[in-house]
Amino acid sequence: MGEFIRQVQKDDPSTLFVVTGDHVERFNFATDVSLWALSGIPCYFYGDGVRQDFLDEQMVGSHLQIAPTLAELILPTGRSYTSLLPPLMESDRAFNHRLYIEDGEIGEQKNLTDEDFRDDIEAARTIASWVVMHDQ
């Protein structure tokens, strides 16, 4: 991957790279793996103007937050956009189809006690479903 990035940067120094992964099969062979290890994935933003401390080490988020993060990085200052979820640099909690992360804790959504967060998750899912079903 390093060689690819070096070559692309040589061709176009303004290129912004986003490298992320998938965790579905990473630990299917393990029997005693924490939810953090099982569900955490890397996400790197790299390019001209992206500071090393761009994202806090303890930041949490989801793939759904990559697009608004890119918008923040590449849109001109003051330009607006619409997103269901905040960019990663403004994220303090996250969810996927099964899990949630809040206040440094990860758990099953069925055990989530924060009613506001539970409502936010349901609202995001409802809006996303509507957009998909109405081809917007």
PDB file of all heavy atoms in Angstrom, residues 8 24 49 61 70 87 91-92 101 108 111-112 128:
ATOM      1  N   VAL A   8       0.887   7.574  -6.254  1.00  0.00           N
ATOM      2  CA  VAL A   8      -0.241   8.480  -6.480  1.00  0.00           C
ATOM      3  C   VAL A   8       0.125   9.889  -6.033  1.00  0.00           C
ATOM      4  O   VAL A   8      -0.189  10.873  -6.725  1.00  0.00           O
ATOM      5  CB  VAL A   8      -1.513   7.973  -5.770  1.00  0.00           C
ATOM      6  CG1 VAL A   8      -2.616   9.014  -5.815  1.00  0.00           C
ATOM      7  CG2 VAL A   8      -1.993   6.667  -6.396  1.00  0.00           C
ATOM      8  N   VAL A  24     -15.604  -8.215   9.803  1.00  0.00           N
ATOM      9  CA  VAL A  24     -16.520  -9.353   9.820  1.00  0.00           C
ATOM     10  C   VAL A  24     -15.813 -10.678  10.060  1.00  0.00           C
ATOM     11  O   VAL A  24     -16.243 -11.481  10.870  1.00  0.00           O
ATOM     12  CB  VAL A  24     -17.328  -9.405   8.507  1.00  0.00           C
ATOM     13  CG1 VAL A  24     -18.186 -10.647   8.459  1.00  0.00           C
ATOM     14  CG2 VAL A  24     -18.193  -8.166   8.379  1.00  0.00           C
ATOM     15  N   GLY A  49      -2.123  18.340   4.171  1.00  0.00           N
ATOM     16  CA  GLY A  49      -3.001  19.132   5.015  1.00  0.00           C
ATOM     17  C   GLY A  49      -3.710  18.349   6.110  1.00  0.00           C
ATOM     18  O   GLY A  49      -4.383  18.945   6.948  1.00  0.00           O
ATOM     19  N   GLY A  61     -16.608   6.028  16.008  1.00  0.00           N
ATOM     20  CA  GLY A  61     -17.453   6.371  14.877  1.00  0.00           C
ATOM     21  C   GLY A  61     -17.794   5.133  14.082  1.00  0.00           C
ATOM     22  O   GLY A  61     -17.515   4.006  14.497  1.00  0.00           O
ATOM     23  N   LEU A  70     -15.162  13.456   5.078  1.00  0.00           N
ATOM     24  CA  LEU A  70     -14.568  13.895   3.814  1.00  0.00           C
ATOM     25  C   LEU A  70     -15.105  15.264   3.406  1.00  0.00           C
ATOM     26  O   LEU A  70     -14.354  16.116   2.921  1.00  0.00           O
ATOM     27  CB  LEU A  70     -14.842  12.874   2.709  1.00  0.00           C
ATOM     28  CG  LEU A  70     -14.054  11.575   2.814  1.00  0.00           C
ATOM     29  CD1 LEU A  70     -14.570  10.559   1.805  1.00  0.00           C
ATOM     30  CD2 LEU A  70     -12.571  11.842   2.594  1.00  0.00           C
ATOM     31  N   PRO A  87     -19.479  14.295  11.404  1.00  0.00           N
ATOM     32  CA  PRO A  87     -18.160  13.831  10.969  1.00  0.00           C
ATOM     33  C   PRO A  87     -17.413  13.206  12.151  1.00  0.00           C
ATOM     34  O   PRO A  87     -17.731  13.474  13.314  1.00  0.00           O
ATOM     35  CB  PRO A  87     -17.471  15.099  10.475  1.00  0.00           C
ATOM     36  CG  PRO A  87     -18.196  16.218  11.129  1.00  0.00           C
ATOM     37  CD  PRO A  87     -19.602  15.746  11.354  1.00  0.00           C
ATOM     38  N   SER A  91     -17.471  13.206  16.723  1.00  0.00           N
ATOM     39  CA  SER A  91     -18.174  12.018  17.186  1.00  0.00           C
ATOM     40  C   SER A  91     -17.752  11.612  18.588  1.00  0.00           C
ATOM     41  O   SER A  91     -16.563  11.525  18.883  1.00  0.00           O
ATOM     42  CB  SER A  91     -17.906  10.859  16.217  1.00  0.00           C
ATOM     43  OG  SER A  91     -18.595   9.709  16.616  1.00  0.00           O
ATOM     44  N   ASP A  92     -18.735  11.357  19.444  1.00  0.00           N
ATOM     45  CA  ASP A  92     -18.421  10.848  20.771  1.00  0.00           C
ATOM     46  C   ASP A  92     -19.190   9.562  21.077  1.00  0.00           C
ATOM     47  O   ASP A  92     -19.114   9.017  22.163  1.00  0.00           O
ATOM     48  CB  ASP A  92     -18.698  11.894  21.846  1.00  0.00           C
ATOM     49  CG  ASP A  92     -20.153  12.326  21.882  1.00  0.00           C
ATOM     50  OD1 ASP A  92     -20.934  11.892  21.016  1.00  0.00           O
ATOM     51  OD2 ASP A  92     -20.507  13.113  22.777  1.00  0.00           O
ATOM     52  N   ILE A 101     -21.373   2.318  20.995  1.00  0.00           N
ATOM     53  CA  ILE A 101     -20.240   2.790  21.789  1.00  0.00           C
ATOM     54  C   ILE A 101     -20.636   4.153  22.327  1.00  0.00           C
ATOM     55  O   ILE A 101     -21.057   5.035  21.574  1.00  0.00           O
ATOM     56  CB  ILE A 101     -18.947   2.930  20.959  1.00  0.00           C
ATOM     57  CG1 ILE A 101     -18.560   1.604  20.326  1.00  0.00           C
ATOM     58  CG2 ILE A 101     -17.818   3.463  21.837  1.00  0.00           C
ATOM     59  CD1 ILE A 101     -17.389   1.716  19.365  1.00  0.00           C
ATOM     60  N   GLU A 108     -23.993  -4.347  23.493  1.00  0.00           N
ATOM     61  CA  GLU A 108     -25.085  -4.744  22.607  1.00  0.00           C
ATOM     62  C   GLU A 108     -26.189  -3.695  22.704  1.00  0.00           C
ATOM     63  O   GLU A 108     -26.533  -3.257  23.797  1.00  0.00           O
ATOM     64  CB  GLU A 108     -25.644  -6.110  23.038  1.00  0.00           C
ATOM     65  CG  GLU A 108     -24.639  -7.239  23.006  1.00  0.00           C
ATOM     66  CD  GLU A 108     -24.578  -7.913  21.651  1.00  0.00           C
ATOM     67  OE1 GLU A 108     -25.465  -7.664  20.813  1.00  0.00           O
ATOM     68  OE2 GLU A 108     -23.631  -8.687  21.447  1.00  0.00           O
ATOM     69  N   ASN A 111     -28.982  -3.832  25.195  1.00  0.00           N
ATOM     70  CA  ASN A 111     -28.697  -3.474  26.588  1.00  0.00           C
ATOM     71  C   ASN A 111     -28.490  -1.967  26.782  1.00  0.00           C
ATOM     72  O   ASN A 111     -28.150  -1.540  27.880  1.00  0.00           O
ATOM     73  CB  ASN A 111     -27.448  -4.217  27.072  1.00  0.00           C
ATOM     74  CG  ASN A 111     -27.626  -5.714  26.996  1.00  0.00           C
ATOM     75  OD1 ASN A 111     -28.713  -6.234  27.232  1.00  0.00           O
ATOM     76  ND2 ASN A 111     -26.564  -6.418  26.645  1.00  0.00           N
ATOM     77  N   LEU A 112     -28.686  -1.179  25.746  1.00  0.00           N
ATOM     78  CA  LEU A 112     -28.473   0.264  25.818  1.00  0.00           C
ATOM     79  C   LEU A 112     -29.531   0.912  26.712  1.00  0.00           C
ATOM     80  O   LEU A 112     -30.736   0.758  26.474  1.00  0.00           O
ATOM     81  CB  LEU A 112     -28.529   0.872  24.413  1.00  0.00           C
ATOM     82  CG  LEU A 112     -28.344   2.377  24.285  1.00  0.00           C
ATOM     83  CD1 LEU A 112     -26.996   2.806  24.848  1.00  0.00           C
ATOM     84  CD2 LEU A 112     -28.468   2.790  22.825  1.00  0.00           C
ATOM     85  N   ALA A 128     -32.671   6.869   6.995  1.00  0.00           N
ATOM     86  CA  ALA A 128     -31.877   6.161   5.982  1.00  0.00           C
ATOM     87  C   ALA A 128     -32.759   5.217   5.179  1.00  0.00           C
ATOM     88  O   ALA A 128     -32.644   5.146   3.946  1.00  0.00           O
ATOM     89  CB  ALA A 128     -30.738   5.401   6.645  1.00  0.00           C
TER      90      ALA A 128
END
